[in-house]
Amino acid sequence: MASIIRSKSVLSVFFINLFLSLVSSAVAVSSGSGDGFSISGRVKLPGMSLKAFGSPGGKASNVKVVLNGGEHVTFLRPDGYFSFQNMSAGTHLIEVAAIGYFFSPVRVDVSARHPGKVQAALTETRRGLNELVLEQLREEQYYEIREPFSIMSLVKSPMGLMMGFMLVVVFLMPKLMENMDPEEMRRAQEEMRSQGVPSLANLIPGAGRS
Amino acid sequence: MDWHQQYIGKVKHAVFHTQKTGRKRVVVSTEENVIASLDLRHGEIFWRHVLGINDVVDGIDIALDVITLSSDGSTLRAWNLPDGQMVWESFLRGSKHSKPLLLVPTNLKVDKDSLILVSSKGCLHAVSSIDGEILWTRDFAAESVEVQQVIQLDESDQIYVVGYAGSSQFHAYQINAMNGELLNHETAAFSGGFVGDVALVSSDTLVTLDTTRSILVTVSFKNRKIAFQETHLSNLGEDSSGMVEILPSSLTGMFTVKINNYKLFIRLTSEDKLEVVHKVDHETVVSDALVFSEGKEAFAVVEHGGSKVDITVKPGQDWNNNLVQESIEMDHQRGLVHKVFINNYLRTDRSHGFRALIVMEDHSLLLVQQGKIVWNREDALASIIDVTTSELPVEKEGVSVAKVEHSLFEWLKGHMLKLKGTLMLASPEDVAAIQAIRLKSSEKSKMTRDHNGFRKLLIVLTKARKIFALHSGDGRVVWSLLLHKSEACDSPTELNLYQWQTPHHHAMDENPSVLVVGRCGVSSKAPAILSFVDTYTGKELNSFDLVHSAVQVMPLPFTDSTEQRLHLLVDDDRRIHLYPKTSEAISIFQQEFSNIYWYSVEADNGIIKGHAVKSKCAGEVLDDFCFETRVLWSIIFPMESEKIIAAVSRKQNEVVHTQAKVTSEQDVMYKYISKNLLFVATVAPKASGHIGSADPDEAWLVVYLIDTITGRILHRMTHHGAQGPVHAVLSENWVVYHYFNLRAHRYEMSVTEIYDQSRAENKDVLKLVLGKHNLTAPVSSYSRPEITTKSQTYFFTHSVKAVAVTSTAKGITSKQLLIGTIGDQVLALDKRFLDPRRSINPTQAEKEEGIIPLADSLPIIPQSYVTHSLKVEGLRGILTVPAKLESTTLVFAYGVDLFYTRLAPSRTYDSLTEDFSYALLLLTIVALVAAIFVTWVLSEKKELREKWR
């Protein structure tokens, strides 16, 4: 924490107290100065504190912190801290741009009446923040996972179904016929003949000569 | 299918890092506010950071880490050299503006910690290089001294700080760099006064100009004494009339003066006399001095000679000696040399070699070593101003005999190579050749038009005045052209690209061409320049320096017999000029004389005006192509309550498939489709600043939809407690805009759709049968149709940099909004999410129609980022172009990076997807045929058996 209150007129420090984050508003105490206020905070990326830098999980070097839609842009230190200096009193919007993560923008109110009193809240969830520690709401997967090749997907496809049906017709239908009672079979065939239902052979030209 | 290219922009500063073994690199900062570390071997980017728009880099150096000074000297950052991670960031305060200077003194170390000296905002700060802590600060602004130079004295821990108070008082401070203790302070007045830059010639002497710019003043401040010495430029045998300035340089004992269009190298002799060493024309560029091996110095001079560029490396102080003299062939499309940085290396025979990093006029970056260009980067592409597209040539069918013979030989050779490749006999060169052949014949990078219209040329205009044609298949540069600079104009700026000639029905032999409109100077009243560029060959066909200005350029929907589009240029006197200047064009124009209307937005005055053509210009010189105009209508916004911040109109070439929209209740709604619709957004003047600068109670956003022919306001809506910036897109009968809601403190997106009520009665079948409908009535802006609007508003998470909408060939495919977010990604958002008919509980019929249940915010689905996990750093614009295939649209996003992809908003319903399995299809067909034959044989056999029975 000491690293961010180094400069002489730093005014707002968000004390770490993770367990109090259920309380919806936050108070940070700091000293005032004529030079404007400063907003300091920290971005937490998964794997940043645990693993060495450069691990695929948290690469702080590719993260940008943007104030008020591009008015100021800053980057993260190796420990995830960032700060904006020379801010006017009023409300500000902080956004974190990190590929692979979704961060909610944060509303930061810098009070003019009580110098240095700073409030922060996530605009997406309307959750107040006790300290300006920004965590990603979710990870983002930019690519749809290609379904691995499987026999089932082949079978399920329309063509697979067509083939399946065809196989059933070709191989199972004769079997069904075989299992039939010969008497019944004959009767059925006679019926068929009398009705004149064309057989498959009749449908194919050239094969129908009898 | 898609490609992504990374650029950095025109290099301003470069620092080499080659001392240690391992990767050799050069760290650069550019005019696009980029800091990058480049591989010195190949020119690839190791790492890169794009700073904010206002965060202009002032200086860059290496002290353990890469140190950058930016934002007018108020932000000092250190970046880890290998991976670009920011190590620390310091903010320097000060009261007054002064020239930002960054100095990393050598040999000033306290336990590994080296000192960084920064002079900015009237103060001198000493900063620790380990953690960025400010060790001490000295305020010079209190003594109203403007610091000009900070000088380290002979590698000791003492520094000199010199500056002016007012314009004539010279101050020299001697300071202990370790603790900031003031050792000595001298001051002296010079009656002539000082102006311009100073050039340091030794650690205790500098040269500057007096206020008349005709006398060179040598100031020496050694031995705690300040002495002035004046030398008239005329005494050096030079004509001092005209613009004289001293160029900042760091050569020892020498400095450069620029007079009009030549440069003088002036040396300070041992007797403190000035003498002219050399005189060159102004195109010659000199590098900074480079210290190599035991205090030896060298600098490079780059001169132009025809198509060649001569690089000479000279030892410091000795003009007549050359360490290296090289001459390299230079593409004249690169223009002049703008900057040169040199670096030395040890050859194998222990002698010193030099490499030079050259920045050209077209913003390209070249590394030259041993008389050869080792690599080059086309960094003009980082600063695209405007983009348009052009079709590729049609594939020629007739082939000549010679061509056949040639291609036969090639064909045989190619097949031999391929055979070798398959038999694993190919050498590495052969493999490369096979690769090249494959690439050439591959579908996506062919140089001809394709059936689906996927292959196109992207014509881009850059700040460097260079035009590039990029192939949409793989993003390679097909041709590039540095626009010709005429003598009449010194500093031309380019503005826009227009499609001048796109032959498709007639004049098929003509090549398509684009019109480049620029102006000579910065102000909008400056005379315009027109250039015509052939998009197949990349040759400049013609160029004109006009006498009038071009405030507005309007392509008209008429073309002449050679398919040249008629363009109107509006000058600052509100006269219009017709181009091309042919009698045919004028006759076409005369016919449509009374049908030409346009509007102008004067954002500063809060006025929108509609204009029409009145008569021919009445001047002394008879000009058939010049017309007077008259104001038809004007809308004046009250200055005290409304300020125009955005005005958006429909894309002129947009195609709408149908006017009717069938709703779920079998009802028909008629879209109000007019090409002359203008969306205007105004905000309260108090709330026109950045976010949070205004109270929600005193902020409002008013949006208007205006018919630009009659000036009729079709729709007006006020959003209380909202402010800009507003990004809007207008398409078909709807407008979508993005703004900031101060009350909720979130961004919002609103959609407004306009429907034509006057056609609503047409749904009566009886009327249709009897012909009593008004569907065939012409759509005119003069008829005042009853319209209704529907609006809805949603929250949107991110800040937005650009908004565009997909466009397809026939307008049948549903639309997607392309939103460039603050994270430099492009998000595709279905228009269905922005439908004012969304409700919380849609009925079954509405659900079938595709209406999504209402939610308070727009969803951000990571898979719908068209850029996937790539970033288009510094995103500025998104262009969408329809392909010939109705389902597909081509998307080009540009900023510092370029990104191109193909999108199918409703999936590719008119073509097979790329992962379509042709093998399976074939297999099925074969299996089916086989099955037919098997069953045939079986049934024949069976029939035979039947017959025997």
Side-chain angles (χ1 to χ4, degrees):
Chain A
M1 222 41 219
S3 60
I4 56 158
I5 34 172
R6 189 192 311 116
S7 95
K8 273 179 204 156
S9 46
V10 165
L11 330 147
S12 55
V13 177
F14 296 87
F15 288 100
I16 294 178
N17 195 337
L18 273 170
F19 302 103
L20 275 175
S21 59
L22 293 169
V23 186
S24 64
S25 70
V27 182
V29 188
S30 65
S31 58
S33 140
D35 234 0
F37 303 92
S38 85
I39 302 168
S40 308
R42 188 179 165 199
V43 174
K44 254 182 160 179
L45 288 175
M48 202 163 80
S49 50
L50 301 168
K51 290 175 226 158
F53 305 120
S55 65
K59 200 154 162 60
S61 66
N62 293 332
V63 179
K64 272 186 197 177
V65 187
V66 184
L67 184 88
N68 292 344
E71 193 190 342
H72 290 280
V73 177
T74 193
F75 300 85
L76 294 189
R77 286 162 210 237
D79 51 6
Y81 283 99
F82 67 89
S83 68
F84 291 104
Q85 308 278 326
N86 228 341
M87 296 291 105
S88 59
T91 48
H92 300 279
L93 190 77
I94 291 178
E95 286 168 278
V96 179
I99 286 281
Y101 303 101
F102 178 81
F103 280 88
S104 164
V106 182
R107 170 198 180 133
V108 177
D109 294 278
V110 180
S111 169
R113 235 169 281 157
H114 314 281
K117 189 179 165 182
V118 174
Q119 287 187 317
L122 295 178
T123 61
E124 281 291 288
T125 54
R126 302 203 182 143
R127 189 164 65 88
L129 288 180
N130 249 47
E131 39 154 359
L132 206 53
V133 173
L134 312 180
E135 282 181 83
Q136 97 278 6
L137 288 186
R138 56 172 192 259
E139 289 191 20
E140 294 192 319
Q141 291 293 335
Y142 298 113
Y143 297 97
E144 281 173 47
I145 296 156
R146 202 193 197 112
E147 276 178 42
F149 180 80
S150 75
I151 271 300
M152 273 320 279
S153 74
L154 264 188
V155 172
K156 274 182 190 160
S157 73
M159 269 181 286
L161 286 175
M162 263 165 70
M163 271 174 79
F165 178 73
M166 205 184 67
L167 288 175
V168 166
V169 171
V170 170
F171 295 106
L172 290 183
M173 287 295 267
K175 288 262 160 60
L176 278 176
M177 305 276 258
E178 269 168 37
N179 290 348
M180 259 194 222
D181 188 36
E183 287 285 305
E184 227 169 287
M185 182 91 149
R186 204 168 299 136
R187 210 179 301 143
Q189 272 174 353
E190 266 162 30
E191 238 171 70
M192 248 201 233
R193 220 166 283 146
S194 62
Q195 279 174 10
V197 174
S199 71
L200 186 65
N202 292 339
L203 284 175
I204 299 164
R209 18 182 181 106
S210 42
Chain B
M1 190 165 102
D2 41 3
W3 45 265
H4 178 237
Q5 293 175 354
Q6 295 186 315
Y7 293 99
I8 52 174
K10 189 185 183 184
V11 170
K12 278 202 292 197
H13 312 276
V15 190
F16 292 89
H17 186 261
T18 52
Q19 289 87 357
K20 301 230 174 65
T21 49
R23 284 167 156 185
K24 299 204 180 336
R25 62 190 94 219
V26 57
V27 182
V28 296
S29 72
T30 73
E31 289 182 356
E32 303 296 316
N33 299 350
V34 176
I35 301 162
S37 168
L38 304 178
D39 184 349
L40 209 48
R41 291 230 161 90
H42 308 105
E44 282 143 22
I45 298 170
F46 280 139
W47 54 262
R48 178 183 63 155
H49 289 292
V50 182
L51 307 185
I53 297 165
N54 310 322
D55 213 2
V56 179
V57 183
D58 302 309
I60 183 167
D61 211 336
I62 295 179
L64 280 176
D65 305 307
V66 177
I67 311 289
T68 60
L69 182 68
S70 60
S71 279
D72 201 17
S74 66
T75 311
L76 191 69
R77 293 192 182 103
W79 313 86
N80 191 7
L81 194 56
D83 66 354
Q85 163 74 49
M86 192 178 82
V87 185
W88 51 259
E89 182 179 35
S90 265
F91 296 94
L92 309 172
R93 281 151 213 285
S95 45
K96 234 179 94 191
H97 169 80
S98 76
K99 194 165 74 176
L101 297 166
L102 173 68
L103 178 71
V104 180
T106 47
N107 302 350
L108 262 189
K109 283 191 180 161
V110 194
D111 323 319
K112 277 187 174 175
D113 185 0
S114 57
L115 209 62
I116 299 158
L117 294 170
V118 180
S119 163
S120 72
K121 303 214 165 187
C123 297
L124 180 70
H125 308 269
V127 183
S128 155
S129 73
I130 286 179
D131 54 3
E133 196 175 346
I134 298 168
L135 300 173
W136 54 263
T137 300
R138 229 195 129 71
D139 193 358
F140 292 102
E143 297 162 53
S144 63
V145 173
E146 198 182 328
V147 177
Q148 292 293 326
Q149 280 284 355
V150 179
I151 308 144
Q152 189 192 3
L153 199 62
D154 303 326
E155 303 199 350
S156 69
D157 58 356
Q158 286 179 14
I159 50 166
Y160 274 125
V161 177
V162 295
Y164 313 141
S167 70
S168 60
Q169 194 76 16
F170 184 83
H171 289 263
Y173 299 86
Q174 199 176 353
I175 292 170
N176 185 337
M178 291 332 236
N179 49 22
E181 189 190 335
L182 181 68
L183 300 174
N184 186 28
H185 176 205
E186 296 291 333
T187 179
F190 177 71
S191 55
F194 305 107
V195 72
D197 263 323
V198 296
L200 199 66
V201 274
S202 73
S203 62
D204 51 13
T205 316
L206 53 83
V207 179
T208 185
L209 282 169
D210 82 332
T211 40
T212 62
R213 287 189 188 264
S214 60
I215 298 169
L216 289 168
V217 187
T218 317
V219 187
S220 87
F221 40 94
K222 54 187 144 199
N223 304 331
R224 308 199 161 187
K225 251 193 195 131
I226 298 175
F228 300 107
Q229 193 188 338
E230 295 171 39
T231 314
H232 266 278
L233 271 172
S234 49
N235 288 0
L236 295 169
E238 295 306 326
D239 172 30
S240 64
S241 61
M243 199 56 201
V244 181
E245 56 181 320
I246 288 185
L247 300 176
S249 69
S250 70
L251 310 176
T252 313
M254 207 164 0
F255 61 97
T256 327
V257 180
K258 187 184 173 203
I259 305 174
N260 293 331
N261 53 6
Y262 58 92
K263 283 177 183 168
L264 287 181
F265 291 90
I266 299 174
R267 192 157 66 109
L268 188 73
T269 59
S270 47
E271 298 92 51
D272 283 353
K273 284 267 161 47
L274 297 177
E275 65 174 29
V276 176
V277 183
H278 201 69
K279 185 173 166 181
V280 291
D281 60 15
H282 71 291
E283 289 169 357
T284 302
V285 178
V286 188
S287 77
D288 276 353
L290 168 81
V291 180
F292 68 101
S293 75
E294 294 105 40
K296 273 200 229 163
E297 257 184 33
F299 64 95
V301 180
V302 182
E303 283 172 290
H304 291 267
S307 66
K308 288 194 170 179
V309 165
D310 300 315
I311 303 169
T312 351
V313 179
K314 294 173 190 286
Q317 290 171 313
D318 191 357
W319 184 269
N320 300 320
N321 237 334
N322 288 345
L323 288 171
V324 179
Q325 188 162 25
E326 286 164 0
S327 174
I328 46 169
E329 200 71 43
M330 189 66 79
D331 183 3
H332 70 277
Q333 293 294 353
R334 297 200 185 279
L336 306 175
V337 173
H338 271 194
K339 274 198 171 94
V340 59
F341 305 92
I342 56 163
N343 176 238
N344 66 306
Y345 60 93
L346 270 183
R347 293 213 190 98
T348 39
D349 59 350
R350 299 244 138 234
S351 65
H352 286 279
F354 294 91
R355 50 169 90 89
L357 192 68
I358 299 177
V359 184
M360 303 296 294
E361 189 182 358
D362 71 338
H363 298 191
S364 61
L365 188 67
L366 311 154
L367 186 82
V368 176
Q369 194 170 329
Q370 290 173 333
K372 264 188 247 134
I373 298 172
V374 183
W375 51 261
N376 68 69
R377 296 180 57 88
E378 288 285 5
D379 272 305
L381 287 168
S383 58
I384 292 176
I385 307 170
D386 202 2
V387 191
T388 186
T389 54
S390 164
E391 294 289 345
L392 282 158
V394 185
E395 208 156 356
K396 291 270 188 321
E397 272 162 19
V399 204
S400 69
V401 180
K403 238 180 186 169
V404 169
E405 268 174 15
H406 179 73
S407 59
L408 190 72
F409 179 66
E410 286 285 301
W411 183 81
L412 277 175
K413 215 166 84 181
H415 277 267
M416 277 305 288
L417 274 173
K418 271 182 197 160
L419 195 70
K420 263 182 165 178
T422 40
L423 295 173
M424 312 280 234
L425 291 167
S427 65
E429 294 98 77
D430 291 345
V431 173
I434 294 169
Q435 289 281 333
I437 289 171
R438 274 209 193 126
L439 206 68
K440 229 165 115 187
S441 60
S442 99
E443 268 297 298
K444 69 174 196 182
S445 57
K446 259 191 198 168
M447 275 306 293
T448 50
R449 238 175 259 191
D450 64 332
H451 182 67
N452 290 335
F454 291 164
R455 290 200 295 266
K456 276 190 167 49
L457 281 179
L458 295 163
I459 313 288
V460 301
L461 175 68
T462 64
K463 260 189 214 161
R465 305 190 69 242
K466 199 170 187 178
I467 300 176
F468 291 87
L470 305 176
H471 195 288
S472 68
D474 51 5
R476 70 175 190 275
V477 175
V478 177
W479 52 259
S480 62
L481 168 79
L482 189 69
L483 286 174
H484 165 78
K485 207 184 211 173
S486 72
E487 278 89 48
C489 191
D490 205 28
S491 57
T493 50
E494 302 308 324
L495 299 168
N496 286 106
L497 278 174
Y498 298 91
Q499 289 192 336
W500 178 252
Q501 198 178 14
T502 43
H504 54 278
H505 288 310
H506 326 284
M508 286 299 276
D509 298 335
E510 306 257 348
N511 288 356
S513 54
V514 289
L515 165 70
V516 188
V517 180
R519 62 166 79 111
C520 184
V522 192
S523 99
S524 65
K525 291 187 176 171
I529 311 165
L530 302 185
S531 310
F532 302 92
V533 180
D534 187 324
T535 62
Y536 287 175
T537 60
K539 296 276 174 302
E540 193 165 0
L541 301 170
N542 221 334
S543 107
F544 301 107
D545 290 325
L546 306 183
V547 284
H548 59 83
S549 58
V551 182
Q552 215 175 334
V553 180
M554 291 177 289
L556 296 177
F558 317 115
T559 53
D560 67 6
S561 59
T562 57
E563 301 240 357
Q564 290 187 37
R565 189 162 294 279
L566 269 59
H567 281 69
L568 287 179
L569 269 64
V570 186
D571 68 11
D572 56 312
D573 287 331
R574 294 264 160 246
R575 283 201 195 110
I576 54 169
H577 303 266
L578 178 70
Y579 288 87
K581 292 199 168 186
T582 57
S583 53
E584 192 194 349
I586 203 105
S587 65
I588 297 169
F589 184 72
Q590 295 284 12
Q591 282 169 26
E592 304 290 341
F593 197 80
S594 57
N595 285 333
I596 288 163
Y597 301 90
W598 72 97
Y599 67 93
S600 62
V601 180
E602 293 166 32
D604 297 335
N605 306 330
I607 302 174
I608 296 174
K609 282 181 188 158
H611 307 267
V613 191
K614 194 167 81 183
S615 61
K616 276 197 179 167
C617 283
E620 297 91 72
V621 192
L622 201 66
D623 188 355
D624 282 342
F625 302 96
C626 167
F627 298 90
E628 298 280 353
T629 65
R630 64 199 159 104
V631 174
L632 285 178
W633 52 266
S634 56
I635 299 171
I636 301 165
F637 296 99
M639 291 287 274
E640 61 278 1
S641 63
E642 291 184 39
K643 183 173 185 283
I644 301 174
I645 54 162
V648 176
S649 63
R650 245 178 79 181
K651 246 193 202 174
Q652 282 306 309
N653 54 2
E654 193 188 53
V655 185
V656 181
H657 176 60
T658 172
Q659 201 194 353
K661 186 173 181 178
V662 182
T663 62
S664 49
E665 294 94 40
Q666 301 303 313
D667 210 351
V668 183
M669 291 169 85
Y670 290 92
K671 299 173 186 171
Y672 180 80
I673 292 162
S674 163
K675 290 226 175 216
N676 309 308
L677 215 53
L678 176 71
F679 168 84
V680 178
T682 65
V683 289
K686 261 190 183 171
S688 57
H690 70 83
I691 288 161
S693 61
D695 226 33
D697 295 326
E698 54 190 22
W700 53 83
L701 170 80
V702 193
V703 295
Y704 297 86
L705 281 167
I706 297 168
D707 186 304
T708 57
I709 305 291
T710 56
R712 178 186 171 201
I713 296 173
L714 299 168
H715 171 71
R716 178 182 190 274
M717 187 154 66
T718 309
H719 297 271
H720 289 284
Q723 73 167 123
V726 170
H727 295 273
V729 60
L730 188 67
S731 169
E732 288 196 10
N733 67 324
W734 51 264
V735 59
V736 169
Y737 49 100
H738 177 270
Y739 56 92
F740 192 72
N741 182 338
L742 281 164
R743 286 227 168 79
H745 215 79
R746 292 173 81 171
Y747 285 102
E748 280 184 350
M749 274 179 118
S750 284
V751 59
T752 300
E753 293 190 352
I754 321 163
Y755 292 96
D756 190 343
Q757 275 309 99
S758 64
R759 297 185 173 224
E761 307 96 64
N762 290 333
K763 53 200 173 214
D764 194 343
V765 181
L766 201 69
K767 269 189 180 173
L768 277 177
V769 171
L770 294 173
K772 280 191 175 170
H773 59 84
N774 59 355
L775 282 178
T776 48
V779 180
S780 162
S781 282
Y782 286 119
S783 59
R784 296 173 65 95
E786 284 298 306
I787 53 153
T788 52
T789 55
K790 289 184 175 203
S791 299
Q792 219 167 52
T793 298
Y794 322 88
F795 287 124
F796 186 73
T797 309
H798 297 297
S799 295
V800 161
K801 285 185 162 179
V803 190
V805 65
T806 57
S807 55
T808 51
K810 302 272 184 292
I812 301 167
T813 309
S814 66
K815 304 230 170 211
Q816 276 183 340
L817 288 168
L818 298 172
I819 301 166
T821 64
I822 193 77
D824 294 322
Q825 291 168 289
V826 179
L827 180 76
L829 190 68
D830 229 319
K831 170 68 179 56
R832 286 190 300 145
F833 288 110
L834 287 140
D835 186 342
R837 296 196 299 134
R838 277 175 76 179
S839 58
I840 294 163
N841 285 313
T843 60
Q844 194 56 40
E846 280 177 333
K847 268 186 197 160
E848 273 164 24
E849 200 196 322
I851 286 180
I852 302 160
L854 183 65
D856 67 337
S857 56
L858 295 170
I860 291 174
I861 306 155
Q863 283 88 357
S864 58
Y865 279 111
V866 298
T867 47
H868 303 300
S869 60
L870 299 168
K871 267 175 138 184
V872 189
E873 288 277 8
L875 182 70
R876 278 196 305 267
I878 302 165
L879 176 85
T880 61
V881 187
K884 264 189 213 151
L885 202 64
E886 167 56 29
S887 67
T888 313
T889 175
L890 314 175
V891 178
F892 179 59
Y894 58 93
V896 175
D897 290 352
L898 310 181
F899 179 81
Y900 170 89
T901 191
R902 280 207 305 260
L903 274 190
S906 317
R907 307 262 166 190
T908 47
Y909 55 82
D910 50 4
S911 66
L912 295 168
T913 54
E914 282 188 351
D915 54 356
F916 180 80
S917 166
Y918 288 93
L920 192 63
L921 180 69
L922 271 177
L923 208 76
T924 317
I925 292 168
V926 168
L928 278 170
V929 169
I932 286 167
F933 275 95
V934 167
T935 44
W936 180 17
V937 170
L938 281 177
S939 75
E940 277 224 322
K941 269 188 187 165
K942 206 173 169 193
E943 218 158 299
L944 197 65
R945 229 183 300 141
E946 291 271 298
K947 280 178 186 160
W948 276 111
R949 198 178 294 172

